Amino acid sequence: MLDPLHTQLHVRRCLTLQNLGRYADAERACERGFELQPDIPNALWARGLNALAQGESATAVGHYEAALTRAPARSDIRAELVVVFLDLGLLDRAAEQLKLLRSPGQLRGTTMTVARYLLAAGDIAGLRLHLGRLNFDQALPRERVDAAFFALAIDDPALAGRIAGDALKPRPSLLDDFQPGLYRTRWAVCEACTAGLIERDRGDLSAAAQLESAVVDHFANVEGNGHVWHGLHYLRAGLQAQAGATAAALESLERAVELGWRRAWPMRVDPALKSLRDEARFEDLLARMDALNAASRERLLSSR
């Protein structure tokens, strides 16, 4: 029998309800978890995710910071806070968190978080230098392709190819190795999508189609289970743009923004969306997101 006084039960319920788009119910579940055990970070972190799911970045920051006050060594939470500050255009705040993330006592690596910061800051030279210094000898294929995305984003397919190495060599486990993850889809991280871009650049459209088809099936399964994620619609737009379905891609991006997508900085450089950048609807979407982020930024700064 489930224990109604078990904090993690309420946190998991909060996360599940978020996936289903039941944000008010999710908030109540998180609040109950916090009431039961206010000294642990998970309920606060989950409330931050609930705010992000609705496009409420300023509110999310407060919950993330409160979670880190209770667990300053939780590098996974801090890395996500860096991204939220990047979304808000607060590069100085992101840099402060990144500095803490790279300090002793943290639990996980910071390589991709540094890459995200450099990309959002427009530091192409710095990002190229950062990527060039990385050692991928022991990296998993998924990790290599994840890093290769940033090379593609700065229009350096040669560097992307060197980083990817033999990660995409034909093998029976290839699609399993790049099976999209649920949580990473929520954050619009899709190594299989990037792998498709790499194969397209190499001229292997058949290999690209195989990878992209697996992602399409994953999205259908996620939505069939009732999940509502703006990151999914963002990623779908990239696949549609690659297929030449411009109108459908723009509709997917509009849906993402309606649901709460506020990450304008990767949209401006995402190689999957390159064909959309001259579209007036695409520019309008970016302007709308910039305005929404400016309003959130003002709310956050005025509350300090």
Side-chain angles (χ1 to χ4, degrees):
M1 182 175 179
L2 295 176
D3 182 0
L5 298 181
H6 193 292
T7 300
Q8 290 303 325
L9 172 65
H10 293 280
V11 172
R12 292 191 187 101
R13 185 168 186 268
C14 174
L15 294 170
T16 299
L17 290 166
Q18 289 175 40
N19 290 340
L20 300 175
R22 293 171 55 184
Y23 302 122
D25 291 337
E27 186 67 16
R28 284 191 287 272
C30 276
E31 286 176 355
R32 181 56 178 152
F34 180 72
E35 289 170 359
L36 290 170
Q37 209 166 352
D39 57 331
I40 67 169
N42 284 11
L44 290 162
W45 162 73
R47 291 182 78 180
L49 286 173
N50 198 40
L52 285 179
Q54 301 169 79
E56 299 172 359
S57 303
T59 301
V61 167
H63 293 316
Y64 270 86
E65 290 181 333
L68 287 167
T69 297
R70 289 158 176 78
R74 281 288 299 273
S75 57
D76 55 331
I77 296 177
R78 197 176 300 279
E80 290 181 4
L81 180 57
V82 170
V83 175
V84 180
F85 278 134
L86 294 177
D87 295 348
L88 287 165
L90 294 171
L91 295 181
D92 55 340
R93 299 287 182 88
E96 290 170 4
Q97 293 299 322
L98 189 57
K99 183 178 180 180
L100 292 170
L101 189 61
R102 302 174 80 177
S103 65
Q106 296 298 296
L107 303 178
R108 300 180 184 176
T110 63
T111 300
M112 293 300 99
T113 306
V114 172
R116 289 183 175 87
Y117 173 82
L118 293 170
L119 184 62
D123 187 353
I124 294 176
L127 179 53
R128 183 175 286 112
L129 182 63
H130 174 66
L131 294 172
R133 287 174 171 170
L134 299 179
N135 184 345
F136 293 100
D137 290 346
Q138 303 301 318
L140 296 173
R142 180 185 294 270
E143 294 169 332
R144 297 181 73 108
V145 171
D146 189 21
F149 169 83
F150 295 94
L152 292 176
I154 58 175
D155 199 23
D156 194 337
L159 176 59
R162 289 197 298 274
I163 292 172
D166 64 355
L168 298 178
K169 66 181 180 181
R171 57 188 182 276
S173 66
L174 179 64
L175 293 181
D176 289 336
D177 290 344
F178 289 96
Q179 177 65 31
L182 289 172
Y183 193 68
R184 292 175 76 73
T185 298
R186 179 173 181 163
W187 281 85
V189 176
C190 177
E191 293 87 354
C193 301
T194 301
L197 289 171
I198 293 171
E199 295 291 24
R200 283 179 178 275
D201 184 70
R202 291 173 174 172
D204 193 338
L205 299 185
S206 176
Q210 185 181 31
L211 288 157
E212 291 163 358
S213 178
V215 178
V216 170
D217 291 345
H218 166 70
F219 290 167
N221 182 60
V222 168
E223 289 186 311
N225 288 329
H227 291 214
V228 181
W229 296 342
H230 45 61
L232 181 152
H233 293 279
Y234 176 84
L235 292 172
R236 175 178 283 151
L239 294 177
Q240 291 166 330
Q242 289 300 299
T246 299
L250 290 167
E251 288 173 7
S252 291
L253 286 177
E254 288 173 349
R255 179 61 176 151
V257 174
E258 288 171 4
L259 289 173
W261 177 259
R262 298 294 181 266
R263 200 150 298 137
W265 54 272
M267 275 181 65
R268 290 185 159 91
V269 294
D270 191 331
L273 302 177
K274 188 174 182 179
S275 65
L276 306 181
R277 290 179 197 157
D278 293 332
E279 296 288 333
R281 287 171 66 188
F282 186 79
E283 294 175 357
D284 289 345
L285 273 175
L286 284 173
R288 190 192 315 172
M289 292 172 67
D290 287 343
L292 290 166
N293 284 327
S296 292
R297 184 166 61 246
E298 179 61 29
R299 286 196 299 274
L300 178 64
L301 296 177
S302 65
S303 69
R304 300 301 169 102

